[in-house]
């Protein structure tokens, strides 16, 4: 996949349907970033260009994506990007730009997804949990505060990150709203990102606790239930009257949903599906279902809902 082709498709949609539209509205703005894949080439390119265009249109060289969205959601690799561009620097500003976040994913990709040494009888490839955790711990801390780990409360805008909890056999969504209510629902940002990235078969389930130790989970990949977290973000905003009192329905929302590229090769020449292909099908299916659902919800005004997804 050539980045130039991806860039053309993504950015033409952004500029024509969304960037010029959101400046003249008071609607609540949602940014959703899919999981899937390990490189984030599609979502990363979209985020960098979006931030560049916001700076160009506002004539503010320091503007960042979090300044122009009211809530950001992400799953898997999308959660890492979402958490980085919303992490608070301690002064109410985003700690990282979109370029910073994308550069981290690119430069640390081998550390985030480091193959685990296989045993004699193990044929399935797995990634090292410890290697990913070290990379995430490094990026989600404030060095000037004796390397204090950032938590879900330490974000400059509301943040949503889903995972699936094996203990309760139900989805679990990390949110700044819940973290602000109780330390029992406040978690280190690196843990939330690690939890939503624990793809079955590639990573072992992630066992972790809240900052006060009172809430614990055994998490696997949030993409299994919310690979496209846009619907979760819409639901959260509509039902969260404390943070979004003016929102009564989808007519009060602007949603930008960014995919990470949908795989097209899922079976081999014999018609067999590998384990990784099955996971890809599940993740892609979740994303497409959410897209269709939101497309129907916003059918009366499709300029209020823009989905960026590229096939490769």
């Amino acid at each position: 996949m050539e980045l130039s082709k991806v860039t053309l498709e993504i950015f033409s949609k952004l500029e024509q349907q969304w960037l010029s539209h959101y400046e003249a509205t008071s609607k609540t703005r949602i940014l959703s970033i899919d999981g899937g894949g390990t490189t984030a080439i599609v979502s990363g390119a979209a985020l960098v260009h979006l931030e560049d265009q916001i700076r160009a249109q506002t004539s503010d060289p320091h503007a960042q994506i979090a300044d122009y969205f009211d809530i950001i959601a992400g799953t898997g690799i999308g959660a890492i990007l979402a958490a980085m561009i919303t992490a608070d620097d301690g002064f109410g500003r985003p700690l990282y730009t979109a370029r910073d976040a994308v550069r981290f994913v690119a430069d640390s990709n081998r550390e985030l997804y480091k193959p685990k040494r296989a045993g004699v009888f193990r044929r399935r490839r797995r990634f090292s949990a410890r290697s990913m955790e070290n990379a995430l711990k490094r990026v989600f801390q404030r060095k000037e505060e004796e390397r204090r780990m950032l938590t879900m409360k330490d974000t400059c805008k509301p943040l949503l990150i889903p995972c699936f909890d094996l203990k309760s056999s139900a989805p679990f969504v990390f949110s700044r709203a819940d973290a602000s209510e109780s330390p029992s629902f406040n978690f280190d940002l690196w843990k939330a990102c690690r939890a939503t990235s624990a793809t079955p078969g590639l990573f072992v389930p992630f066992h972790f606790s809240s900052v006060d130790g009172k809430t614990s989970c055994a998490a696997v990949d949030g993409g299994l239930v919310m690979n496209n977290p846009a619907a979760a973000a819409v639901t959260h905003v509509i039902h969260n009257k404390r943070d979004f009192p003016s929102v009564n329905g989808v007519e009060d929302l602007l949603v930008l949903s960014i995919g990470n590229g949908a795989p097209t090769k899922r079976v081999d020449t014999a018609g067999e599906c590998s384990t990784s292909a099955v996971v890809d099908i599940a993740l892609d299916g979740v994303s497409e279902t959410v897209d269709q659902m939101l497309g129907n919800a916003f059918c009366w005004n499709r300029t209020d809902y823009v989905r960026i997804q590229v096939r490769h």
Side-chain angles (χ1 to χ4, degrees), residues 148-155 159 172-192 208-216:
R148 181 178 73 83
M149 291 297 171
L150 298 173
T151 71
M152 290 294 298
K153 286 179 64 175
D154 299 315
T155 56
L159 173 68
F172 186 92
V173 180
F174 303 93
S175 76
R176 192 183 75 168
D178 290 339
S180 300
E181 285 288 325
S182 169
S184 296
F185 291 99
N186 189 23
F187 298 84
D188 290 342
L189 274 175
W190 78 264
K191 291 182 179 179
F208 63 100
S209 299
S210 56
V211 295
D212 65 359
K214 292 184 178 180
T215 303
S216 61

Side-chain angles (χ1 to χ4, degrees), residues 154-260:
D154 299 315
T155 56
C156 56
K157 286 294 175 69
L159 173 68
L160 293 181
I161 297 175
C163 69
F164 187 86
D165 180 19
L166 296 176
K167 292 179 65 176
S168 63
S169 297
F172 186 92
V173 180
F174 303 93
S175 76
R176 192 183 75 168
D178 290 339
S180 300
E181 285 288 325
S182 169
S184 296
F185 291 99
N186 189 23
F187 298 84
D188 290 342
L189 274 175
W190 78 264
K191 291 182 179 179
C193 291
R194 168 71 176 88
T196 192
S197 302
T199 305
L202 298 180
F203 286 100
V204 296
F206 180 49
H207 298 261
F208 63 100
S209 299
S210 56
V211 295
D212 65 359
K214 292 184 178 180
T215 303
S216 61
C217 295
V220 293
D221 192 347
L224 297 177
V225 287
M226 298 182 198
N227 196 53
N228 175 353
V234 168
T235 301
H236 177 86
V237 169
I238 290 176
H239 290 93
N240 184 356
K241 291 299 183 182
R242 187 192 67 178
D243 294 334
F244 305 100
S246 63
V247 176
N248 295 308
V250 295
E251 65 276 7
D252 299 316
L253 303 176
L254 282 176
V255 180
L256 175 58
S257 177
I258 300 177
N260 255 318

Side-chain angles (χ1 to χ4, degrees), residues 14 17-19 21-22 25 27-34 50 68-71 73 228-235 237-238 247 249-258 290-291 294-295 297-298 301-308:
L14 282 174
Q17 299 183 37
W18 208 82
L19 279 174
H21 181 55
Y22 82 83
T25 183
K27 294 185 179 185
T28 295
R29 299 180 288 265
I30 296 173
L31 173 63
S32 173
I33 311 172
D34 277 20
L50 176 59
Y68 292 88
F69 286 89
D70 300 295
I71 184 170
N228 175 353
V234 168
T235 301
V237 169
I238 290 176
V247 176
V250 295
E251 65 276 7
D252 299 316
L253 303 176
L254 282 176
V255 180
L256 175 58
S257 177
I258 300 177
V290 170
D291 180 35
L294 288 179
F298 284 89
N301 191 348
R302 284 306 299 261
T303 60
D304 285 353
Y305 170 70
V306 174
R307 170 71 173 169
I308 304 299

